[in-house]
Amino acid sequence: MNGPIGKDTLWVEVSDERFTEAVQRSFKRVGEPRRVTAVDLDGTGPQPLRALELAGDGCVGHGPAHACVVEDSGSGLVWLVYGGAAGLVIGAAVFEAYLLVDREALVFAEE
């Protein structure tokens, strides 16, 4: 299960390797996760962002992606973007296990 564990840890696990490498990582979170709908990876504008979720029959569907401020040893505070057990899909065909980005790169869902 991806998301907060306790008051200051966030867990990201991608176990399905059809789209990206498998990962198991924990991060020290500094805030609460927020739903995110798009990300600008290269300065050309935001692209739609979705989580890749696994169904019980092994099929992959889409769900919401989330972002949370975390501590990164090399960059200080950054936004961690994470999704489902199969990772994230950005735009039509870019797949990532997770992303570490600046706040300016994210478009959040209206709450």
Side-chain angles (χ1 to χ4, degrees):
M1 161 117 190
N2 292 328
I5 299 174
K7 74 174 197 147
D8 64 353
T9 302
L10 194 137
W11 180 254
V12 174
E13 181 174 4
V14 174
S15 56
D16 188 303
E17 295 184 71
R18 288 180 277 181
F19 303 102
T20 184
E21 76 278 359
V23 298
Q24 291 182 339
R25 291 214 36 206
S26 65
F27 296 87
K28 182 172 170 104
R29 69 184 176 110
V30 180
E32 293 299 318
R34 295 177 59 189
R35 202 166 152 220
V36 64
T37 60
V39 64
D40 184 353
L41 291 180
D42 56 11
T44 61
Q47 297 293 311
L49 176 68
R50 295 166 290 168
L52 293 171
E53 303 285 359
L54 296 177
D57 63 0
C59 291
V60 177
H62 295 122
H66 292 85
C68 184
V69 177
V70 298
E71 289 185 8
D72 181 54
S73 60
S75 302
L77 297 179
V78 296
W79 283 85
L80 167 71
V81 182
Y82 63 97
L88 300 164
V89 61
I90 303 138
V94 176
F95 301 98
E96 296 289 344
Y98 64 89
L99 301 167
L100 295 172
V101 299
D102 292 330
R103 163 62 184 96
E104 295 78 27
L106 299 173
V107 176
F108 293 99
E110 293 194 27
E111 299 178 10

